[in-house]
Amino acid sequence: FGGIMKCDVIAQGILNAVKSVQLGIPLVVRLEGTNVEQGRKLLAESGLPIVTATDLDSAASEIVKLAQP
């Protein structure tokens, strides 16, 4: 939960964090708010194991799908 924050700034922070910890599993991110499309685009084009979701239900569905062996 980012509160009142621009989604592109949040996305850049997520990218920086994922790169620094060398995430070994996919991360599901739900963004909503100002600059949401720019934030989603940054995450999608990063080449990192990040999946974006538009709402909490789709985020939960993505997590369940990714957790399947």
Side-chain angles (χ1 to χ4, degrees):
F1 178 75
I4 301 173
M5 188 70 185
K6 294 180 180 174
C7 290
D8 57 327
V9 174
I10 293 172
Q12 191 59 59
I14 291 169
L15 293 176
N16 293 342
V18 169
K19 289 174 186 174
S20 72
V21 299
Q22 298 178 357
L23 191 64
I25 60 171
L27 176 67
V28 177
V29 176
R30 182 251 182 189
L31 293 174
E32 189 60 50
T34 305
N35 297 344
V36 68
E37 290 306 319
Q38 295 94 321
R40 289 179 184 155
K41 184 177 178 183
L42 283 170
L43 297 175
E45 294 177 351
S46 70
L48 296 170
I50 299 173
V51 177
T52 59
T54 56
D55 58 42
L56 294 179
D57 286 338
S58 64
S61 294
E62 286 294 333
I63 293 168
V64 169
K65 186 178 2 174
L66 291 166
Q68 299 298 318

Coordinates of all heavy atoms in Angstrom, one line a residue:
F1 N 0.8 -1.2 0.0 CA 0.0 0.0 0.0 C 0.9 1.2 0.0 O 1.7 1.4 0.9 CB -0.9 0.0 1.2 CG -1.8 1.2 1.3 CD1 -2.9 1.3 0.5 CD2 -1.5 2.2 2.2 CE1 -3.7 2.4 0.5 CE2 -2.3 3.3 2.3 CZ -3.4 3.4 1.4
G2 N 0.7 2.1 -1.0 CA 1.6 3.2 -1.1 C 0.9 4.5 -0.7 O 1.6 5.6 -0.6
G3 N -0.4 4.5 -0.4 CA -1.0 5.8 -0.1 C -1.1 6.7 -1.3 O -1.3 6.3 -2.4
I4 N -0.9 8.0 -1.0 CA -0.9 9.0 -2.1 C 0.5 9.1 -2.7 O 1.3 9.8 -2.2 CB -1.4 10.3 -1.6 CG1 -2.8 10.2 -1.0 CG2 -1.4 11.4 -2.7 CD1 -3.4 11.4 -0.3
M5 N 0.7 8.4 -3.7 CA 2.0 8.3 -4.4 C 1.8 8.0 -5.8 O 0.9 7.3 -6.2 CB 2.9 7.2 -3.7 CG 4.3 7.1 -4.1 SD 5.2 8.5 -3.4 CE 6.7 8.3 -4.1
K6 N 2.7 8.5 -6.7 CA 2.6 8.2 -8.1 C 3.0 6.8 -8.4 O 4.1 6.4 -7.9 CB 3.4 9.2 -8.9 CG 2.8 10.6 -8.8 CD 3.7 11.6 -9.6 CE 3.1 13.0 -9.4 NZ 4.0 14.0 -10.1
C7 N 2.2 6.1 -9.2 CA 2.5 4.7 -9.5 C 3.8 4.5 -10.2 O 4.5 3.4 -10.0 CB 1.3 4.1 -10.3 SG -0.2 3.9 -9.3
D8 N 4.2 5.4 -11.1 CA 5.5 5.3 -11.8 C 6.7 5.3 -10.8 O 7.6 4.6 -10.9 CB 5.7 6.3 -12.9 CG 5.5 7.7 -12.4 OD1 4.8 8.0 -11.5 OD2 6.2 8.6 -13.1
V9 N 6.5 6.1 -9.7 CA 7.6 6.2 -8.7 C 7.6 4.9 -7.9 O 8.7 4.4 -7.6 CB 7.4 7.4 -7.8 CG1 8.3 7.5 -6.6 CG2 7.4 8.7 -8.6
I10 N 6.4 4.4 -7.6 CA 6.4 3.1 -6.8 C 7.0 2.0 -7.7 O 7.8 1.2 -7.2 CB 4.9 2.8 -6.5 CG1 4.4 3.8 -5.4 CG2 4.8 1.4 -5.9 CD1 2.9 3.7 -5.1
A11 N 6.6 2.0 -9.0 CA 7.2 1.0 -9.9 C 8.7 1.0 -9.9 O 9.3 0.0 -9.9 CB 6.5 1.1 -11.3
Q12 N 9.2 2.2 -10.0 CA 10.7 2.3 -10.1 C 11.3 1.8 -8.8 O 12.4 1.2 -8.8 CB 11.1 3.8 -10.4 CG 12.6 3.9 -10.7 CD 13.0 3.1 -11.9 OE1 12.5 3.3 -13.0 NE2 13.9 2.2 -11.7
G13 N 10.7 2.1 -7.7 CA 11.2 1.6 -6.4 C 11.1 0.1 -6.3 O 12.1 -0.6 -5.8
I14 N 10.1 -0.5 -6.9 CA 9.9 -2.0 -6.9 C 11.0 -2.5 -7.8 O 11.7 -3.5 -7.4 CB 8.5 -2.4 -7.4 CG1 7.5 -2.0 -6.4 CG2 8.5 -3.9 -7.8 CD1 6.1 -2.2 -6.9
L15 N 11.3 -1.9 -8.9 CA 12.3 -2.4 -9.8 C 13.7 -2.4 -9.1 O 14.5 -3.3 -9.2 CB 12.4 -1.6 -11.1 CG 11.1 -1.7 -12.0 CD1 11.3 -0.8 -13.2 CD2 11.0 -3.2 -12.5
N16 N 14.0 -1.3 -8.5 CA 15.3 -1.1 -7.8 C 15.4 -2.2 -6.7 O 16.5 -2.8 -6.6 CB 15.4 0.3 -7.1 CG 15.5 1.4 -8.2 OD1 15.8 1.1 -9.3 ND2 15.2 2.6 -7.7
A17 N 14.3 -2.5 -6.0 CA 14.4 -3.5 -4.9 C 14.6 -4.9 -5.5 O 15.4 -5.6 -5.0 CB 13.1 -3.4 -4.1
V18 N 13.8 -5.2 -6.5 CA 13.9 -6.5 -7.1 C 15.3 -6.8 -7.6 O 15.9 -7.9 -7.5 CB 12.8 -6.7 -8.2 CG1 13.1 -8.0 -9.0 CG2 11.4 -6.8 -7.6
K19 N 15.9 -5.8 -8.3 CA 17.3 -5.9 -8.8 C 18.3 -6.1 -7.6 O 19.2 -6.8 -7.8 CB 17.6 -4.7 -9.6 CG 16.9 -4.6 -10.9 CD 17.2 -3.3 -11.7 CE 16.4 -3.2 -12.9 NZ 16.6 -1.9 -13.5
S20 N 18.1 -5.4 -6.5 CA 19.1 -5.4 -5.5 C 19.0 -6.8 -4.7 O 20.0 -7.2 -4.1 CB 18.9 -4.3 -4.5 OG 17.8 -4.4 -3.7
V21 N 17.8 -7.4 -4.6 CA 17.7 -8.6 -3.9 C 17.8 -9.9 -4.8 O 17.7 -11.0 -4.3 CB 16.4 -8.7 -3.0 CG1 16.4 -7.6 -2.0 CG2 15.2 -8.7 -3.8
Q22 N 17.8 -9.7 -6.1 CA 17.9 -10.7 -7.0 C 16.7 -11.7 -6.8 O 17.0 -12.9 -6.5 CB 19.2 -11.4 -7.0 CG 20.3 -10.5 -7.4 CD 21.7 -11.1 -7.4 OE1 21.9 -12.3 -7.1 NE2 22.7 -10.3 -7.8
L23 N 15.6 -11.2 -6.9 CA 14.3 -12.0 -6.6 C 14.3 -13.3 -7.5 O 14.5 -13.3 -8.7 CB 13.1 -11.2 -7.0 CG 11.8 -11.7 -6.5 CD1 11.7 -11.7 -5.0 CD2 10.7 -10.7 -7.0
G24 N 14.1 -14.4 -6.8 CA 14.1 -15.7 -7.5 C 12.8 -16.2 -7.8 O 12.6 -17.3 -8.5
I25 N 11.7 -15.6 -7.4 CA 10.3 -16.0 -7.6 C 9.6 -14.8 -8.2 O 9.9 -13.7 -8.0 CB 9.6 -16.6 -6.4 CG1 9.6 -15.5 -5.3 CG2 10.3 -17.8 -5.9 CD1 8.7 -15.8 -4.1
P26 N 8.5 -15.1 -8.9 CA 7.7 -13.9 -9.5 C 7.1 -13.1 -8.4 O 6.7 -13.6 -7.3 CB 6.7 -14.6 -10.3 CG 7.2 -16.0 -10.6 CD 8.0 -16.3 -9.4
L27 N 7.0 -11.8 -8.6 CA 6.3 -10.9 -7.7 C 5.1 -10.4 -8.4 O 5.1 -9.9 -9.5 CB 7.3 -9.7 -7.4 CG 6.8 -8.6 -6.6 CD1 6.5 -9.1 -5.1 CD2 7.7 -7.4 -6.6
V28 N 3.9 -10.4 -7.7 CA 2.7 -9.9 -8.2 C 2.5 -8.5 -7.6 O 2.5 -8.4 -6.4 CB 1.5 -10.9 -7.9 CG1 0.2 -10.3 -8.4 CG2 1.7 -12.2 -8.5
V29 N 2.2 -7.6 -8.5 CA 2.1 -6.2 -8.0 C 0.8 -5.6 -8.6 O 0.4 -5.8 -9.7 CB 3.2 -5.3 -8.6 CG1 3.0 -3.8 -8.2 CG2 4.6 -5.8 -8.1
R30 N 0.0 -5.0 -7.7 CA -1.2 -4.4 -8.0 C -1.0 -2.9 -7.9 O -0.7 -2.4 -6.8 CB -2.4 -4.8 -7.2 CG -3.7 -4.2 -7.5 CD -4.1 -3.3 -6.5 NE -5.4 -2.7 -6.7 CZ -5.9 -1.7 -6.0 NH1 -5.2 -1.2 -5.1 NH2 -7.1 -1.2 -6.3
L31 N -1.1 -2.1 -8.9 CA -1.0 -0.7 -8.9 C -2.3 0.0 -9.3 O -3.0 -0.5 -10.1 CB 0.1 -0.2 -9.9 CG 1.5 -0.6 -9.7 CD1 2.4 -0.1 -10.9 CD2 2.0 0.1 -8.4
E32 N -2.6 1.1 -8.6 CA -3.8 1.9 -8.9 C -3.6 3.3 -8.5 O -3.2 3.5 -7.3 CB -5.1 1.3 -8.3 CG -6.4 1.9 -8.8 CD -6.6 1.7 -10.3 OE1 -6.4 0.6 -10.8 OE2 -6.8 2.7 -11.0
G33 N -3.8 4.2 -9.4 CA -3.7 5.6 -9.0 C -3.1 6.5 -10.1 O -3.1 6.1 -11.3
T34 N -2.5 7.6 -9.7 CA -1.9 8.5 -10.6 C -0.7 7.8 -11.3 O 0.1 7.1 -10.7 CB -1.3 9.7 -9.8 OG1 -2.4 10.3 -9.1 CG2 -0.8 10.8 -10.8
N35 N -0.6 8.0 -12.6 CA 0.4 7.5 -13.5 C 0.4 5.9 -13.5 O 1.5 5.3 -13.7 CB 1.8 8.0 -13.1 CG 1.9 9.5 -13.4 OD1 1.1 10.1 -14.0 ND2 2.9 10.1 -12.8
V36 N -0.7 5.3 -13.3 CA -0.8 3.8 -13.2 C -0.3 3.2 -14.5 O 0.4 2.2 -14.5 CB -2.2 3.4 -12.8 CG1 -3.2 3.6 -13.9 CG2 -2.2 1.9 -12.5
E37 N -0.6 3.7 -15.7 CA -0.2 3.1 -16.9 C 1.3 3.2 -17.1 O 1.9 2.2 -17.6 CB -0.9 3.7 -18.1 CG -2.4 3.4 -18.2 CD -2.7 1.9 -18.2 OE1 -2.0 1.2 -18.8 OE2 -3.7 1.5 -17.5
Q38 N 1.9 4.3 -16.7 CA 3.3 4.4 -16.8 C 4.0 3.4 -15.8 O 5.0 2.8 -16.2 CB 3.8 5.8 -16.4 CG 3.4 6.9 -17.4 CD 2.1 7.6 -17.0 OE1 1.1 6.9 -16.5 NE2 2.0 8.8 -17.2
G39 N 3.5 3.2 -14.7 CA 4.0 2.3 -13.7 C 3.9 0.9 -14.2 O 4.9 0.1 -14.1
R40 N 2.8 0.5 -14.7 CA 2.6 -0.8 -15.3 C 3.5 -1.1 -16.4 O 4.1 -2.2 -16.6 CB 1.2 -1.1 -15.7 CG 0.2 -1.2 -14.5 CD -1.2 -1.4 -15.0 NE -2.1 -1.4 -13.8 CZ -3.4 -1.1 -13.9 NH1 -3.9 -0.7 -15.1 NH2 -4.2 -1.1 -12.8
K41 N 3.7 -0.1 -17.3 CA 4.6 -0.2 -18.4 C 6.1 -0.4 -18.0 O 6.8 -1.3 -18.5 CB 4.5 1.0 -19.3 CG 5.3 1.0 -20.6 CD 5.2 2.2 -21.4 CE 6.1 2.0 -22.7 NZ 6.0 3.2 -23.5
L42 N 6.5 0.3 -17.0 CA 7.9 0.2 -16.4 C 8.1 -1.3 -16.0 O 9.1 -1.9 -16.2 CB 8.1 1.1 -15.3 CG 8.4 2.6 -15.6 CD1 8.3 3.4 -14.3 CD2 9.7 2.7 -16.3
L43 N 7.1 -1.8 -15.2 CA 7.2 -3.2 -14.7 C 7.2 -4.2 -15.8 O 8.0 -5.1 -15.8 CB 6.1 -3.5 -13.7 CG 6.1 -2.6 -12.4 CD1 4.9 -2.9 -11.6 CD2 7.4 -2.8 -11.6
A44 N 6.3 -4.0 -16.8 CA 6.1 -5.0 -17.9 C 7.4 -5.0 -18.8 O 7.7 -6.1 -19.2 CB 4.9 -4.6 -18.7
E45 N 8.0 -3.9 -19.0 CA 9.2 -3.8 -19.9 C 10.5 -4.1 -19.2 O 11.5 -4.0 -19.8 CB 9.2 -2.5 -20.6 CG 8.0 -2.3 -21.5 CD 8.0 -0.9 -22.2 OE1 8.7 0.0 -21.8 OE2 7.1 -0.7 -23.1
S46 N 10.4 -4.3 -17.9 CA 11.7 -4.5 -17.1 C 12.4 -5.8 -17.4 O 13.6 -5.9 -17.2 CB 11.4 -4.4 -15.6 OG 10.7 -5.6 -15.2
G47 N 11.7 -6.8 -17.9 CA 12.3 -8.1 -18.1 C 12.5 -8.9 -16.8 O 13.1 -10.0 -16.8
L48 N 12.0 -8.4 -15.7 CA 12.1 -9.0 -14.4 C 10.9 -9.9 -14.1 O 9.8 -9.7 -14.7 CB 12.3 -8.0 -13.3 CG 13.6 -7.1 -13.4 CD1 13.5 -6.0 -12.4 CD2 14.8 -8.0 -13.1
P49 N 11.0 -10.8 -13.1 CA 9.8 -11.7 -12.9 C 8.7 -11.0 -12.1 O 8.5 -11.2 -10.9 CB 10.4 -12.8 -12.1 CG 11.6 -12.2 -11.4 CD 12.1 -11.2 -12.3
I50 N 8.1 -10.0 -12.7 CA 7.0 -9.2 -12.1 C 5.8 -9.3 -12.9 O 5.8 -9.1 -14.1 CB 7.5 -7.7 -12.0 CG1 8.7 -7.6 -11.1 CG2 6.3 -6.9 -11.4 CD1 9.3 -6.2 -11.1
V51 N 4.7 -9.6 -12.2 CA 3.4 -9.8 -12.9 C 2.5 -8.6 -12.3 O 2.4 -8.5 -11.1 CB 2.7 -11.1 -12.6 CG1 1.3 -11.2 -13.2 CG2 3.6 -12.3 -13.0
T52 N 1.8 -7.9 -13.2 CA 1.0 -6.8 -12.7 C -0.5 -7.3 -12.7 O -0.9 -8.1 -13.5 CB 1.1 -5.6 -13.6 OG1 0.7 -5.9 -14.9 CG2 2.5 -5.0 -13.5
A53 N -1.2 -6.8 -11.8 CA -2.6 -7.1 -11.7 C -3.4 -5.8 -11.5 O -2.9 -4.8 -11.0 CB -2.9 -7.9 -10.4
T54 N -4.7 -5.8 -12.0 CA -5.5 -4.6 -12.0 C -6.3 -4.4 -10.7 O -6.8 -3.3 -10.4 CB -6.4 -4.5 -13.2 OG1 -7.2 -5.7 -13.2 CG2 -5.6 -4.4 -14.5
D55 N -6.6 -5.5 -10.0 CA -7.3 -5.5 -8.8 C -6.9 -6.6 -7.9 O -6.1 -7.5 -8.3 CB -8.8 -5.5 -9.1 CG -9.3 -6.8 -9.8 OD1 -8.8 -7.9 -9.5 OD2 -10.1 -6.6 -10.7
L56 N -7.4 -6.6 -6.7 CA -6.9 -7.6 -5.7 C -7.4 -9.0 -6.1 O -6.6 -10.0 -5.8 CB -7.4 -7.3 -4.3 CG -6.8 -6.0 -3.7 CD1 -7.3 -5.7 -2.3 CD2 -5.2 -6.1 -3.7
D57 N -8.5 -9.2 -6.7 CA -9.0 -10.5 -7.1 C -8.1 -11.1 -8.2 O -7.7 -12.3 -8.1 CB -10.4 -10.5 -7.6 CG -11.5 -10.3 -6.5 OD1 -11.2 -10.6 -5.4 OD2 -12.6 -9.8 -6.8
S58 N -7.7 -10.3 -9.2 CA -6.8 -10.8 -10.2 C -5.4 -11.0 -9.6 O -4.7 -11.9 -10.1 CB -6.8 -9.9 -11.4 OG -6.3 -8.6 -11.1
A59 N -5.0 -10.2 -8.7 CA -3.7 -10.4 -8.0 C -3.7 -11.8 -7.3 O -2.7 -12.6 -7.5 CB -3.4 -9.3 -7.1
A60 N -4.8 -12.1 -6.6 CA -4.8 -13.4 -5.9 C -4.9 -14.5 -6.9 O -4.2 -15.5 -6.6 CB -6.1 -13.4 -5.0
S61 N -5.6 -14.4 -8.0 CA -5.6 -15.4 -9.0 C -4.3 -15.7 -9.6 O -3.9 -16.8 -9.8 CB -6.6 -15.0 -10.1 OG -7.9 -15.0 -9.6
E62 N -3.5 -14.6 -9.9 CA -2.2 -14.7 -10.4 C -1.3 -15.5 -9.4 O -0.5 -16.3 -9.8 CB -1.6 -13.4 -10.7 CG -2.2 -12.7 -12.0 CD -1.8 -13.5 -13.3 OE1 -0.8 -14.2 -13.3 OE2 -2.6 -13.4 -14.2
I63 N -1.4 -15.1 -8.1 CA -0.5 -15.8 -7.1 C -0.8 -17.3 -7.1 O 0.1 -18.1 -7.0 CB -0.7 -15.1 -5.8 CG1 -0.2 -13.7 -5.8 CG2 -0.1 -16.0 -4.6 CD1 -0.6 -12.9 -4.6
V64 N -2.1 -17.6 -7.1 CA -2.5 -19.1 -7.1 C -2.0 -19.8 -8.3 O -1.4 -20.9 -8.2 CB -4.0 -19.2 -7.0 CG1 -4.5 -20.6 -7.2 CG2 -4.5 -18.7 -5.6
K65 N -2.1 -19.1 -9.5 CA -1.6 -19.7 -10.7 C -0.1 -19.9 -10.7 O 0.4 -21.0 -11.1 CB -2.0 -18.8 -11.9 CG -1.7 -19.4 -13.2 CD -2.1 -18.6 -14.4 CE -2.7 -17.3 -14.2 NZ -2.9 -16.5 -15.4
L66 N 0.6 -18.9 -10.2 CA 2.1 -19.0 -10.1 C 2.6 -20.0 -9.1 O 3.7 -20.6 -9.2 CB 2.7 -17.6 -9.8 CG 2.6 -16.6 -10.9 CD1 2.9 -15.2 -10.4 CD2 3.5 -17.0 -12.1
A67 N 1.7 -20.3 -8.1 CA 2.1 -21.3 -7.0 C 1.9 -22.7 -7.4 O 2.4 -23.6 -6.7 CB 1.3 -21.0 -5.7
Q68 N 1.2 -22.9 -8.5 CA 1.0 -24.3 -9.0 C 2.3 -24.9 -9.5 O 3.0 -24.3 -10.2 CB 0.0 -24.3 -10.1 CG -1.4 -23.8 -9.7 CD -2.1 -24.5 -8.6 OE1 -2.1 -25.7 -8.6 NE2 -2.7 -23.8 -7.7
P69 N 2.5 -26.2 -9.1 CA 3.8 -26.8 -9.6 C 3.8 -27.1 -11.0 O 2.8 -27.2 -11.7 CB 3.8 -28.1 -8.8 CG 2.5 -28.3 -8.2 CD 1.7 -27.0 -8.3

